[in-house]
């Protein structure tokens, strides 16, 4: 029958090994996971097998693993890279365990990984795992100091858990004393981070970036979900098409230089202030998502009111919470500047497209009617939405519009913008994120990279940019594949809020809620917050006099209790006595008996210390022997004199 020995340090070492893997496993790529699992399997086999040159094999595997990890980390020395190296070191240390002493080195390596994870870890799951790692580490160290293996029972279990509670103040110190540092040193060119929006927009741009389920940001307006109106977060504006038919973003400085005094930033009077929060996940870029009508209230953020976008002054290399408020500004354009949003390169002027556009415009009563007719054309059932359209490297919009009729969001947004500009309607393409997954437990939306989307804005006669999203008019039956889980719900706008949610989805909702709440509590605790905590909470820490009285009284009572416990149990300082003899005669054998130690003494010492040896024998081996209180103080006095003052009498 399978039996668990809680104090079996070999068993607890396996638990430490797997918990160490879980510390990092879900924060790395699939290939990195394969690497970790492979080294884990190697370490277990290496630990079990017995053969020569194990150290040489471990060294070769370690060097190979470091090389592979460096490549998987995109040749970047970052905090993630170093954490991954510590985990690899944990595996290698486990593989080299031969004797009990090796368990100590393995345990200390695990503790180092745990502390490092606590310093950098911010999510709920990693904190729980770190707690378990520290708990098992203490049990493992405790078991290494036991002379025999004890079976698990309620008494021992309570004892071990009580000891493990010591990790709570340790975790608190790590969280409150150590800030979250970021280390990123790039040695070679790295691959582009797939989080965010492409620098240029062409046919097929979003196909490359949307097949990604990573969380990008979380939006929370501290209010319950009130409607099914989709959330559109802006990241980038594409306002100009070049001769290669690529949509690009014109630098703000260039617009100022060429279109000076053609637009004016206006401050709105007494706006109705609304506030919300955005939790940004690290992306190593500067872009920030912007909800239309809001801007960032932060000195480290530059708001681009012309485009309705924003960016951070520094790259976002760790999670960060930003506050946004309803915008106090608007832009006033003159007609001269609006010509900038009507430009098209000569390479796009297909006579077939021009004829089609002119015919539709002639059959429309106004610009708005013309745009609505374009939307109706995309909704006629001939066009399909798919993640894998036929990519034309020449960006042939005419071929897409008249022949293939299959595309992703940037196909429809780009085509719509071209058709609008062919009729001199001011147009720009907006790229960002659409929808998000709503969590009704915490009243927040989670946006993933798969929610990346593009749409169009048209400047109307009433001096406003109005959104048109041609992708959403594609019939449901024509959606062949999609990543954005909100797409079909947003399109139909008939999502049933009362639909039943399966248990697994409900569990995920609760986990996302706990993780978001946990992250909010600890996220902004950086160096500045740490210093402020130390100054305001500790340096100026004051307690009422009554509290000091209670603390001092408690300490005095504890000392009195220890002293009385020492008296009543008649615990003598025999360890001091025997250690003194060992030190005096350079005895290194810790298993020496009191008889052996007695024989080491000279005649004078033997006669003088005989009484102490006799008392020890009675105290250690007689079942019902009890010292008188006077004898207790006398023998302790003799031991202290001998130990600290070298006096025999």
């Amino acid at each position: 029958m399978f039996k668990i020995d809680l104090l079996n340090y070999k068993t607890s070492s396996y638990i430490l090994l797997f918990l160490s893997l879980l510390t990092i496993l879900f924060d790395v790529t699939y290939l990195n996971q394969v690497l970790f699992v492979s080294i884990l399997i190697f370490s277990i086999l290496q630990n079990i097998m017995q053969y020569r040159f194990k150290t040489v094999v471990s060294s070769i595997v370690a060097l190979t693993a470091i090389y592979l990890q460096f490549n998987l980390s995109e040749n970047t020395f970052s905090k993630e890279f170093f954490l991954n190296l510590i985990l690899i070191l944990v595996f290698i240390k486990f593989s080299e365990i031969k004797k009990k002493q090796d368990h100590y080195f393995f345990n200390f390596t695990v503790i180092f990984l745990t502390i490092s994870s606590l310093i950098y870890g911010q999510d709920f799951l990693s904190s729980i795992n770190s707690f378990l790692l520290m708990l098992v580490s203490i049990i493992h160290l405790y078991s290494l100091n036991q002379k025999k293996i004890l079976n698990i029972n309620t008494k021992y279990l309570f004892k071990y858990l009580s000891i493990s509670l010591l990790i709570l103040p340790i975790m608190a110190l790590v969280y409150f004393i150590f800030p979250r540092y970021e280390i990123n040193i790039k040695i070679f060119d790295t691959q582009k981070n797939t989080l965010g929006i492409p620098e240029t927009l062409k046919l097929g741009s979003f196909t490359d970036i949307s097949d990604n389920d990573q969380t990008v940001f979380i939006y929370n307006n501290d209010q319950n979900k009130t409607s099914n109106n989709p959330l559109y977060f802006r990241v980038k504006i594409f306002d100009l098409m070049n001769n290669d038919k690529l949509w690009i973003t014109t630098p703000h400085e260039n617009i100022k230089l060429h279109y000076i005094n053609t637009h004016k930033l206006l401050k709105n009077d007494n706006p109705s202030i609304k506030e919300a929060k955005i939790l940004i996940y690290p992306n190593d870029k500067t872009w920030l998502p912007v909800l239309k009508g809001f801007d960032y209230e932060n000195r480290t953020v530059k708001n681009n009111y012309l485009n309705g976008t924003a960016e951070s002054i520094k790259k976002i290399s760790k999670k960060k919470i930003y506050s946004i408020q309803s915008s106090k500004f608007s832009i006033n354009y003159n007609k001269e500047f609006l010509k900038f949003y009507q430009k098209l390169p000569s390479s796009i002027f297909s006579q077939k497209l021009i004829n089609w556009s002119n015919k539709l415009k002639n059959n429309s009563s106004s610009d708005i009617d013309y745009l609505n007719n374009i939307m109706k054309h995309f909704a006629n059932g001939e066009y399909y939405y798919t993640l894998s359209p036929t990519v034309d490297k020449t960006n042939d919009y005419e071929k897409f519009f008249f022949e293939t009729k299959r595309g992703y969001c940037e196909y429809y947004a780009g085509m719509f913008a071209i058709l609008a500009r062919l009729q001199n309607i001011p147009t720009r393409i907006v790229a960002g994120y659409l929808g998000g997954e709503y969590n009704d437990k915490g009243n927040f939306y989670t946006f993933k990279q798969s929610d990346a989307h593009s749409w169009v804005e048209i400047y109307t006669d009433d001096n406003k940019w109005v959104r048109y999203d041609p992708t959403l008019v594609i019939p449901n039956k024509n959606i062949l594949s999609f990543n954005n889980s909100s797409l079909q719900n947003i399109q139909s706008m008939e999502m049933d809020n009362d639909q039943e949610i399966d248990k697994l989805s409900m569990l995920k909702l609760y986990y996302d809620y706990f993780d978001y709440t946990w992250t909010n509590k600890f996220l902004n605790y950086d160096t500045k917050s740490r210093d402020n905590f130390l100054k305001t909470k500790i340096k100026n820490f004051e307690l009422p006099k009554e509290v000091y009285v209670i603390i001092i009284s408690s300490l005095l009572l504890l000392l009195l209790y220890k002293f009385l416990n020492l008296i009543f149990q008649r615990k003598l300082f025999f360890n001091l006595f025997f250690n003194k003899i060992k030190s005096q005669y350079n005895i290194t054998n810790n298993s020496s008996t009191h008889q052996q130690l007695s024989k080491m003494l000279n005649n004078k010492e033997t006669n003088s210390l005989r009484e102490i040896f006799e008392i020890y024998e009675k105290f250690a081996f007689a079942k019902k022997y009890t010292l008188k209180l006077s004898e207790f103080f006398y023998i302790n006095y003799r031991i202290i004199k001998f130990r600290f003052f070298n006096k025999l009498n």
Side-chain angles (χ1 to χ4, degrees):
M1 181 178 177
F2 179 73
K3 192 175 184 180
I4 298 177
D5 291 325
L6 187 63
L7 282 186
N8 189 324
Y9 54 82
K10 294 182 179 179
T11 302
S12 57
S13 66
Y14 276 95
I15 298 175
L16 285 176
L17 188 68
F18 285 101
L19 285 177
S20 297
L21 176 65
L22 293 177
T23 301
I24 300 175
L25 185 64
F26 299 109
D27 294 328
V28 296
T29 62
Y30 173 74
L31 288 177
N32 225 141
Q33 291 175 351
V34 172
L35 174 63
F36 287 153
V37 173
S38 300
I39 304 174
L40 173 68
I41 294 172
F42 161 78
S43 66
I44 294 174
L45 294 176
Q46 177 91 329
N47 181 272
I48 296 173
M49 298 170 62
Q50 298 297 328
Y51 62 92
R52 297 177 64 185
F53 309 116
K54 288 181 69 173
T55 304
V56 175
V57 174
S58 296
S59 300
I60 294 173
V61 171
L63 291 173
T64 305
I66 293 172
Y67 172 76
L68 293 174
Q69 183 59 63
F70 188 63
N71 280 273
L72 290 173
S73 299
E74 297 184 344
N75 305 318
T76 302
F77 288 131
S78 62
K79 55 101 173 174
E80 290 86 2
F81 172 71
F82 290 113
L83 280 177
N84 294 347
L85 288 190
I86 298 173
L87 179 60
I88 292 173
L89 180 61
V90 168
F91 293 152
I92 299 301
K93 282 296 181 184
F94 182 84
S95 71
E96 295 177 345
I97 292 177
K98 294 180 181 179
K99 51 188 178 180
K100 192 174 182 179
Q101 191 70 21
D102 296 330
H103 279 273
Y104 286 99
F105 293 102
F106 168 69
N107 187 288
F108 296 148
T109 309
V110 171
I111 291 176
F112 185 55
L113 173 67
T114 306
I115 297 297
S116 302
S117 177
L118 277 174
I119 293 174
Y120 294 113
Q122 297 168 337
D123 58 275
F124 178 70
L125 191 60
S126 67
S127 299
I128 292 297
N129 190 73
S130 297
F131 177 87
L132 293 175
L133 259 176
M134 193 77 78
L135 187 149
V136 178
S137 296
I138 292 175
I139 293 176
H140 183 250
L141 286 175
Y142 185 72
S143 64
L144 287 170
N145 290 282
Q146 302 303 306
K147 294 182 179 180
K148 62 180 182 178
I149 303 299
L150 301 176
N151 294 332
I152 183 171
N153 59 47
T154 305
K155 176 184 176 183
Y156 289 126
L157 182 60
F158 180 76
K159 182 179 181 180
Y160 310 146
L161 290 177
S162 299
I163 295 173
S164 301
L165 288 177
L166 293 172
I167 69 175
L168 292 178
I170 296 175
M171 292 183 68
L173 284 174
V174 170
Y175 268 116
F176 290 109
I177 300 302
F178 293 95
R180 275 63 168 159
Y181 289 107
E182 292 295 327
I183 303 172
N184 284 289
I185 306 173
K186 295 186 178 180
I187 304 300
F188 305 108
D189 290 336
T190 64
Q191 297 178 0
K192 287 186 177 181
N193 194 321
T194 57
L195 294 184
I197 303 301
E199 294 300 316
T200 60
L201 199 65
K202 62 180 181 178
L203 297 180
S205 294
F206 275 68
T207 306
D208 299 330
I209 68 167
S210 296
D211 189 17
N212 189 331
D213 206 33
Q214 284 184 266
T215 299
V216 180
F217 65 93
I218 293 176
Y219 167 72
N220 182 7
N221 62 0
D222 295 326
Q223 298 177 5
N224 292 329
K225 184 180 180 184
T226 55
S227 69
N228 284 325
N229 292 331
L231 292 173
Y232 283 82
F233 277 88
R234 316 156 68 84
V235 170
K236 193 178 290 291
I237 294 293
F238 297 100
D239 50 23
L240 186 65
M241 177 179 271
N242 63 20
N243 289 325
D244 295 324
K245 302 177 185 178
L246 296 177
W247 288 96
I248 63 175
T249 302
T250 307
H252 192 243
E253 294 74 16
N254 291 9
I255 293 178
K256 281 185 177 180
L257 180 64
H258 292 90
Y259 294 93
I260 189 170
N261 299 325
T262 58
H263 55 282
K264 185 183 296 184
L265 185 65
L266 302 176
K267 185 174 182 180
N268 299 328
D269 295 329
N270 300 321
S272 177
I273 300 296
K274 297 179 181 178
E275 296 183 349
K277 290 182 179 180
I278 295 180
L279 165 58
I280 306 290
Y281 279 66
N283 52 52
D284 287 329
K285 296 181 181 179
T286 59
W287 61 265
L288 291 170
V290 178
L291 188 63
K292 189 174 182 179
F294 284 79
D295 56 27
Y296 286 82
E297 294 292 328
N298 193 302
R299 293 182 179 179
T300 63
V301 176
K302 294 186 295 184
N303 290 297
N304 185 336
Y305 293 102
L306 180 66
N307 288 340
T309 58
E311 63 177 341
S312 172
I313 295 176
K314 297 180 179 180
K315 289 184 178 180
I316 302 172
S317 56
K318 61 178 180 179
K319 291 180 185 177
K320 188 173 179 62
I321 294 178
Y322 290 92
S323 295
I324 58 174
Q325 291 185 351
S326 51
S327 180
K328 304 174 184 177
F329 300 92
S330 61
I331 298 290
N332 187 19
Y333 307 88
N334 63 25
K335 292 184 178 180
E336 182 66 25
F337 180 63
L338 290 177
K339 292 180 180 179
F340 171 69
Y341 295 102
Q342 299 170 351
K343 288 185 175 183
L344 281 174
S346 56
S347 58
I348 200 66
F349 284 97
S350 154
Q351 192 59 47
K352 192 174 181 180
L353 274 178
I354 294 174
N355 292 339
W356 188 93
S357 173
N358 289 336
K359 182 179 179 180
L360 185 66
K361 185 66 170 65
N362 292 332
N363 293 328
S364 303
S365 58
S366 63
D367 286 348
I368 298 298
D369 189 39
Y370 169 71
L371 297 173
N372 290 335
N373 285 333
I374 297 176
M375 297 286 277
K376 291 178 183 178
H377 180 74
F378 282 131
N380 65 12
E382 296 180 3
Y383 291 86
Y384 292 83
Y385 180 94
T386 176
L387 297 178
S388 53
T390 302
V391 178
D392 190 335
K393 294 183 179 180
T394 62
N395 287 318
D396 193 339
Y397 282 92
E398 178 186 328
K399 185 176 181 180
F400 158 68
F401 189 67
F402 291 111
E403 298 178 25
T404 61
K405 299 184 179 182
R406 292 170 181 250
Y408 203 39
C409 57
E410 76 276 16
Y411 284 71
Y412 295 98
M415 193 68 247
F416 190 95
I418 290 171
L419 292 173
R421 289 193 176 192
L422 282 174
Q423 297 301 324
N424 296 317
I425 300 174
T427 311
R428 61 188 185 186
I429 298 176
V430 187
Y433 294 87
L434 166 64
E437 181 182 359
Y438 180 67
N439 187 308
D440 60 354
K441 309 305 174 187
N443 300 322
F444 60 84
Y445 291 82
T446 300
F447 285 82
K448 299 181 178 180
Q449 183 61 23
S450 55
D451 295 321
H453 189 59
S454 60
W455 59 96
V456 178
E457 286 185 341
I458 303 296
Y459 197 78
T460 60
D461 293 336
D462 54 353
N463 300 322
K464 290 182 180 179
W465 287 103
V466 177
R467 180 177 65 241
Y468 282 79
D469 193 344
T471 305
L472 297 189
V473 301
I474 305 299
N476 270 341
K477 63 180 181 179
N478 287 20
I479 298 178
L480 303 181
S481 57
F482 60 94
N483 278 330
N484 191 327
S485 59
S486 306
L487 182 63
Q488 286 181 317
N489 292 331
I490 291 172
Q491 184 197 37
S492 63
M493 300 302 286
E494 295 176 354
M495 180 180 176
D496 183 6
N497 288 327
D498 297 325
Q499 62 184 337
E500 292 187 6
I501 301 178
D502 59 78
K503 292 182 179 180
L504 188 61
S505 299
M506 181 63 71
L507 185 63
K508 183 180 182 301
L509 283 176
Y510 275 108
Y511 170 74
D512 290 341
Y513 166 67
F514 284 127
D515 183 61
Y516 176 71
T517 304
W518 179 272
T519 302
N520 268 290
K521 296 295 182 183
F522 291 97
L523 189 56
N524 280 328
Y525 192 74
D526 52 13
T527 306
K528 184 178 179 181
S529 303
R530 187 275 312 269
D531 294 340
N532 183 62
F533 173 81
L534 294 177
K535 290 178 181 179
T536 60
K537 303 298 183 181
I538 296 180
K539 184 178 179 180
N540 300 324
F541 184 70
E542 295 183 0
L543 288 174
K545 294 181 179 179
E546 294 78 4
V547 177
Y548 285 110
V549 172
I550 293 174
I551 294 174
I552 295 173
S553 301
S554 300
L555 291 175
L556 291 175
L557 288 174
L558 180 61
L559 291 174
L560 179 61
Y561 167 76
K562 291 292 184 182
F563 178 72
L564 293 176
N565 189 56
L566 185 70
I567 292 176
F568 289 126
Q569 294 187 11
R570 304 293 195 266
K571 292 183 179 179
L572 304 179
F573 299 145
F574 288 122
N575 285 337
L576 293 177
F577 176 67
F578 293 129
N579 287 337
K580 172 65 176 179
I581 297 175
K582 292 178 182 178
S583 174
Q584 185 171 308
Y585 290 96
N586 296 321
I587 300 173
T588 58
N589 187 3
N590 291 326
S591 61
S592 299
T593 64
H594 70 285
Q595 292 95 338
Q596 292 171 330
L597 294 176
S598 177
K599 292 178 181 179
M600 299 295 298
L601 304 176
N602 57 40
N603 291 334
K604 183 179 179 182
E605 290 174 333
T606 301
N607 293 330
S608 178
L609 302 176
R610 180 182 293 112
E611 187 177 6
I612 298 177
F613 279 100
E614 291 175 352
I615 293 294
Y616 173 76
E617 287 183 345
K618 294 177 182 179
F619 191 82
F621 302 108
K623 292 184 178 180
K624 296 185 178 180
Y625 178 76
T626 304
L627 274 176
K628 294 180 181 180
L629 196 59
S630 57
E631 292 176 325
F632 166 76
F633 284 112
Y634 172 70
I635 295 299
N636 276 324
Y637 171 70
R638 290 281 307 279
I639 293 174
I640 291 173
K641 281 180 62 177
F642 174 66
R643 170 63 181 83
F644 297 104
F645 303 102
N646 292 320
K647 292 185 178 181
L648 298 175
N649 296 316

